[in-house]
Amino acid sequence: MKKIVFLLTVLIFSQCKKYVAGPQGDPGEPGKKGNAKQSNRNYDMIPSFWTFNGSFYTANINVPEITDNVITNGEVTVFMKVNDQWWKLPYAVGDIYMQLSIEKGFVKLKYSKIHDGPPEAPGMLSFRIITMAVVK
């Protein structure tokens, strides 16, 4: 039995091969300055910022960095802080959802529950909004 284990061990380790790096090529040209502008803002939403319409809650965040250029050529990413971790929207736990839509100058939030009536009113929530725009 010991001979079989020994032979298997030798066979397994003899199949291992080391990676040997090849010769290095010539260095390339340094990259040019990019053409994107990024902004990063944090917003704390207190409960009174939310409006209840009978079915769900809504809130608007004024974000002047969201311009026509950002909407057509850039990107807006929104994160919500949950238990000291940032989660990208849309965010869902069970049947409760935090969704967003974007307009020029605004991020519109919708807090809803898809079963058994509306959710409880949102408490204090923190959001991080990152905009990326192509600079022409």
Side-chain angles (χ1 to χ4, degrees):
M1 180 71 172
K2 290 181 183 180
K3 290 182 181 180
I4 293 174
V5 172
F6 176 74
L7 289 174
L8 285 175
T9 305
V10 170
L11 181 66
I12 289 172
F13 285 110
S14 67
Q15 298 301 315
C16 295
K17 293 185 181 184
K18 287 187 175 180
Y19 172 76
V20 178
Q24 294 292 322
D26 295 330
E29 292 182 29
K32 296 183 170 100
K33 185 176 178 183
N35 64 344
K37 179 182 176 188
Q38 177 180 333
S39 74
N40 182 350
R41 288 183 177 241
N42 289 346
Y43 293 89
D44 291 326
M45 301 285 291
I46 60 175
S48 63
F49 287 173
W50 295 90
T51 303
F52 183 63
N53 76 351
S55 298
F56 53 85
Y57 291 87
T58 60
N60 295 333
I61 300 175
N62 185 7
V63 186
E65 293 87 4
I66 301 176
T67 62
D68 289 329
N69 184 37
V70 170
I71 292 171
T72 57
N73 299 315
E75 182 176 335
V76 178
T77 307
V78 181
F79 297 89
M80 181 173 69
K81 194 172 193 178
V82 179
N83 298 327
D84 293 327
Q85 291 188 350
W86 291 100
W87 292 86
K88 186 177 177 184
L89 294 186
Y91 176 80
V93 172
D95 60 352
I96 296 182
Y97 289 85
M98 181 69 72
Q99 299 169 297
L100 77 142
S101 61
I102 297 166
E103 291 183 6
K104 181 179 178 182
F106 290 96
V107 168
K108 296 187 171 211
L109 300 170
K110 179 181 175 184
Y111 182 65
S112 62
K113 185 175 181 183
I114 59 172
H115 297 293
D116 303 325
E120 293 183 21
M124 179 74 167
L125 295 173
S126 296
F127 295 91
R128 178 173 290 159
I129 301 173
I130 299 172
T131 59
M132 298 269 300
V134 175
V135 179
K136 294 180 179 184

